[in-house]
């Protein structure tokens, strides 16, 4: 997605549907399409083809998936999707499904290809492979193999194991590849995808951040009408951009509520009150709810329960703020019926929403909301990834200190304490976190990592030696990660001297901490946050 001035006719009507067959990369495909400045949405493979076509998509992409096309109960698609005149691009499972549906042959030979695989392009001037080297590496993940393309299709690439690794039919505008062009491990993958979008489907790359702002402002005005709204401002980029969008749409009928729940990092409350108000001019109401949250969390160690409690208490505080805002408005005050949230697409996906995916964790904006919610939700960022949200923030003129702020979860330090949340443990973690942030900033590493959660293992003690004596203190975990959209992540290879300085300062300056450890787990299998 670009921030350049767009063709004003470019809207979500120029939609590419990504049909999800249970692939781990379905969201990544949608993201790659958006990077090509084309709007995309994900739909489940169980959606009837008639409903897909009723959305009037400009093109359809069939994702990969964990099934074999020969398995009983494996996902299928009505042949009508290939006969509707809509350009279709099949990837991996979607490629095989296209092949067998249209009369090609897919063999269950047990011949497997996983990881980087050399691809031999036999038609370098084809729609997909124009300008792409004849030999390059791609990312494979399959057991079945296509041995014969459907009638009318041209085979355009192969591997040592797979005779038909790509095929094309320009007359029908149907295309497919056995591999995953959406992952960075596939050389020229984005180029192949863009060739399908621009050359195969004839879509112009005109979806931009300007479009997003204009469309969301219009939608917010339509939804809210002449009513008032409140926004839970956490200080993070998500809630800040959501608030700025709504403020642009309805102006002073938005009041931002900052809940000081006592779970924030050191100095962040002051930053919210100063920086965001100065940048946007919004009305800000600060609610001191530290005691309320700590009381509700007392004795609770289960991470899902902590998330739900924090989400519930947020809403209750908002309801209280609503009453106070209306009362302050006097007899002419308008009702506050809407709650603005900075929910992002990964939040929805990981909470089991959207396409029938598993519930990885309940996000406080999604799985943690009470059933008796008194507000209608306004979620202008619900279809966006984190990097797209940052670009929207830049489009709205928010300062870099807010737009480029590293992600911090709404439940705050409450989910970075493994175990019960107490005021003493919060103070301990706040100091350790502040040291880590100070040293990463001093080393110029802020823009090289996605974020660095600092975790307190509150229910774990380890033996140490400090001041010539035996200690029995808490371990602190550093979790520096690199990511583009939080759907996948890898641990950041920080310089040893920086890690050593952070460790030394924490163990010297933070009481009851005698050990600092480094989390070197990628996502998957581990999530970015520990809880």
């Amino acid at each position: 997605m670009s921030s350049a001035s767009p063709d004003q006719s470019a809207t979500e009507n120029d939609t590419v549907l990504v049909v999800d067959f249970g692939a781990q990369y379905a969201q990544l495909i949608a993201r790659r399409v958006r990077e090509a400045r084309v709007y995309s949405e994900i739909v489940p493979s169980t959606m009837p083809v008639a409903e897909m076509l009723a959305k009037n998509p400009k093109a359809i992409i069939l994702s990969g998936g964990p099934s074999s096309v020969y398995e009983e109960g494996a996902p299928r698609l009505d042949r009508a999707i290939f006969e509707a005149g809509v350009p279709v691009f099949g990837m991996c499972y979607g490629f095989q499904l296209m092949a067998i549906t249209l009369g090609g042959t897919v063999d269950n030979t047990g011949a497997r290809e996983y990881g980087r695989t050399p691809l031999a392009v036999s038609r370098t001037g084809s729609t997909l492979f124009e300008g792409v080297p004849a030999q390059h590496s791609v990312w494979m993940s399959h057991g079945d193999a296509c041995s014969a393309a459907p009638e009318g299709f041209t085979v355009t690439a192969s591997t040592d194991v797979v005779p038909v690794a790509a095929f094309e039919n320009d007359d029908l505008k149907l295309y497919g590849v056995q591999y995953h062009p959406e992952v960075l491990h596939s050389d020229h993958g984005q180029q192949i995808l863009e060739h399908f979008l621009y050359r195969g489907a004839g879509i112009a790359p005109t979806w931009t951040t300007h479009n997003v702002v204009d469309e969301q402002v219009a939608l917010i005005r339509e939804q809210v009408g002449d009513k008032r709204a409140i926004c839970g401002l956490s200080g993070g980029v998500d809630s800040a951009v959501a608030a700025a969008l709504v403020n642009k749409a309805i102006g002073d009928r938005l009041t931002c509520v900052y809940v000081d729940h006592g779970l924030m990092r050191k100095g962040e409350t002051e930053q919210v009150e100063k920086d965001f108000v100065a940048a946007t001019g919004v009305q800000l109401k600060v609610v001191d709810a530290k005691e309320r949250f700590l009381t509700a969390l007392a004795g609770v160690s289960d991470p899902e329960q902590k998330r739900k409690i924090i989400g519930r208490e947020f809403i209750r505080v908002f309801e209280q703020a609503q009453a106070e805002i209306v009362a302050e408005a006097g007899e002419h005050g308008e009702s506050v019926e809407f709650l603005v949230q900075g929910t992002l697409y990964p939040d929805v996906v990981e909470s089991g929403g959207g396409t029938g995916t598993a519930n990885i964790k309940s996000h406080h904006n999604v799985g943690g909301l009470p059933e008796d919610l008194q507000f209608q939700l306004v979620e202008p960022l619900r279809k966006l990834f984190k990097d797209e949200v940052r670009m929207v923030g830049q489009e709205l003129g928010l300062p870099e200190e807010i737009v480029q702020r590293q992600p911090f979860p709404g439940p705050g330090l409450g989910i970075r304490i493994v175990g019960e949340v107490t005021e003493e443990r919060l103070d301990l973690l706040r100091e350790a976190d502040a040291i880590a942030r100070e040293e990463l900033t001093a080393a110029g590493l802020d823009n090289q990592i996605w974020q660095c959660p600092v975790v307190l293992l509150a229910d774990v003690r380890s033996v140490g030696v400090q001041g010539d004596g035996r200690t029995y203190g808490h371990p602190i975990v550093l979790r520096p990660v690199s990511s583009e959209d939080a759907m996948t992540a890898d641990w950041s290879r920080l310089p040893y001297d920086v890690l050593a300085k952070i460790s030394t300062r924490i163990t010297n300056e933070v009481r009851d901490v005698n050990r600092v450890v480094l989390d070197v787990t990628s996502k998957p299998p581990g999530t970015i946050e520990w809880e």
Side-chain angles (χ1 to χ4, degrees), residues 222-508:
E222 180 181 357
Q223 181 183 5
V224 177
D226 60 357
K227 301 295 193 302
R228 296 186 63 87
I230 61 175
C231 176
L233 196 64
S234 70
V237 63
D238 304 339
S239 63
V241 173
L245 268 172
V246 177
N247 187 60
K248 182 177 177 67
I250 66 173
D252 61 7
R253 285 185 288 116
L254 169 70
T255 300
C256 287
V257 178
Y258 174 74
V259 178
D260 186 359
H261 50 24
L263 307 175
M264 296 299 285
R265 297 186 293 189
K266 189 174 182 179
E268 286 187 317
T269 296
E270 295 77 13
Q271 183 186 53
V272 169
E273 292 185 87
K274 177 174 65 72
D275 294 345
F276 186 74
V277 173
T280 63
V282 300
Q283 300 183 62
L284 178 65
K285 181 179 181 68
V286 178
V287 180
D288 185 348
K290 293 189 288 291
E291 184 176 346
R292 175 177 185 152
F293 277 80
L294 284 174
T295 299
L297 289 168
V300 178
S301 295
D302 180 76
E304 279 294 284
Q305 191 177 355
K306 284 196 287 188
R307 285 178 177 271
K308 291 181 183 298
I309 288 171
I310 293 169
R312 181 194 69 206
E313 293 304 314
F314 256 105
I315 297 301
R316 297 307 176 224
V317 172
F318 287 141
E319 289 174 342
Q320 178 182 338
Q322 174 199 30
E324 293 174 359
I325 291 168
V326 171
E328 290 168 3
E331 61 181 15
H332 300 295
E334 303 149 297
S335 60
V336 181
E337 299 182 8
F338 296 91
L339 170 62
V340 181
Q341 291 195 147
T343 309
L344 304 191
Y345 199 14
D347 303 333
V348 177
V349 172
E350 292 194 338
S351 297
T355 60
T357 53
N359 187 343
I360 298 172
K361 62 184 178 184
S362 293
H363 188 267
H364 63 286
N365 284 352
V366 184
L369 297 177
E371 295 181 0
D372 59 342
L373 181 66
Q374 301 298 308
F375 301 103
Q376 297 182 54
L377 294 179
V378 179
E379 298 176 304
L381 311 179
R382 190 178 178 88
K383 293 183 177 181
L384 300 182
F385 292 98
K386 177 72 76 172
D387 61 326
E388 295 172 331
V389 172
R390 295 190 194 280
M391 294 171 70
V392 170
Q394 291 171 332
E395 179 76 20
L396 291 167
L398 294 180
E400 287 295 297
E401 293 79 9
I402 292 176
V403 173
Q404 297 303 329
R405 183 176 183 263
Q406 291 184 2
F408 185 63
L413 298 179
I415 59 169
R416 290 185 178 176
I417 295 176
V418 180
E420 182 184 3
V421 178
T422 67
E423 187 168 7
E424 181 182 12
R425 291 174 174 180
L426 284 166
D427 289 341
L428 185 156
L429 181 55
R430 250 189 290 270
E431 292 303 317
D433 175 87
I435 290 170
R437 286 190 290 144
E438 286 173 11
E439 293 302 330
L440 290 173
T441 299
L445 295 172
D446 285 343
N447 294 328
Q448 297 182 32
I449 61 173
W450 173 263
Q451 60 173 304
C452 184
V454 178
V455 180
L456 171 65
L457 303 184
D459 291 341
V460 175
R461 293 270 184 169
S462 67
V463 175
V465 178
Q466 292 173 301
D468 295 326
R470 182 180 185 275
T471 61
Y472 199 48
H474 296 290
I476 285 286
V477 180
L478 302 181
R479 173 72 165 138
V481 294
S482 300
S483 179
E484 291 185 346
D485 51 31
M487 297 305 300
T488 60
D490 194 11
W491 66 281
S492 302
R493 276 64 167 175
L494 299 181
Y496 291 155
D497 59 338
V498 176
L499 291 171
K501 192 168 186 179
I502 293 173
S503 176
T504 300
R505 284 196 59 194
I506 289 176
T507 53
N508 284 348

Side-chain angles (χ1 to χ4, degrees), residues 42-250:
I42 299 175
V43 297
S45 61
T46 53
M47 176 182 285
V49 168
E51 290 186 23
M52 295 182 194
L53 297 177
K55 291 178 172 287
N56 297 315
K58 293 293 185 182
I60 295 172
I61 296 176
L62 310 179
S63 83
S67 302
S68 163
V69 290
Y70 292 106
E71 287 178 357
E72 183 178 351
R76 292 286 187 265
L77 269 184
D78 191 322
R79 183 186 178 100
I81 198 169
F82 304 115
E83 299 173 340
V86 178
V88 181
F89 186 17
M91 301 177 178
C92 195
Y93 183 86
F95 165 74
Q96 295 178 358
L97 194 58
M98 181 187 295
I100 63 169
T101 302
L102 298 177
T105 303
V106 177
D107 299 315
N108 187 8
T109 62
R112 301 174 181 273
E113 287 181 316
Y114 294 104
R116 282 190 179 275
T117 304
L119 184 76
V121 179
S122 54
R123 297 294 183 96
T124 54
S126 71
T127 297
L128 294 184
F129 293 105
E130 173 73 34
V132 176
Q135 302 285 334
H136 61 274
S137 294
V138 297
W139 191 259
M140 290 284 192
S141 181
H142 69 94
D144 301 333
C146 182
S147 60
E151 184 178 352
F153 282 71
T154 300
V155 177
T156 53
S158 62
T159 72
D160 291 341
V161 174
V162 179
V164 183
F167 55 46
E168 305 182 20
N169 187 321
D170 285 319
D171 292 335
L172 298 178
K173 296 189 179 300
L174 302 178
Y175 307 86
V177 296
Q178 176 59 71
Y179 60 93
H180 289 276
E182 72 274 20
V183 302
L184 294 177
H185 300 297
S186 286
D187 297 342
H188 310 288
Q190 185 68 15
Q191 186 177 359
I192 298 298
L193 178 58
E194 291 179 0
H195 280 175
F196 165 71
L197 296 171
Y198 305 157
R199 294 158 56 85
I203 303 174
T206 51
W207 189 66
T208 69
T209 50
H210 193 95
N211 295 130
V212 173
V213 171
D214 287 349
E215 290 164 5
Q216 287 303 321
V217 165
L219 289 171
I220 292 164
R221 286 173 177 165
E222 180 181 357
Q223 181 183 5
V224 177
D226 60 357
K227 301 295 193 302
R228 296 186 63 87
I230 61 175
C231 176
L233 196 64
S234 70
V237 63
D238 304 339
S239 63
V241 173
L245 268 172
V246 177
N247 187 60
K248 182 177 177 67
I250 66 173

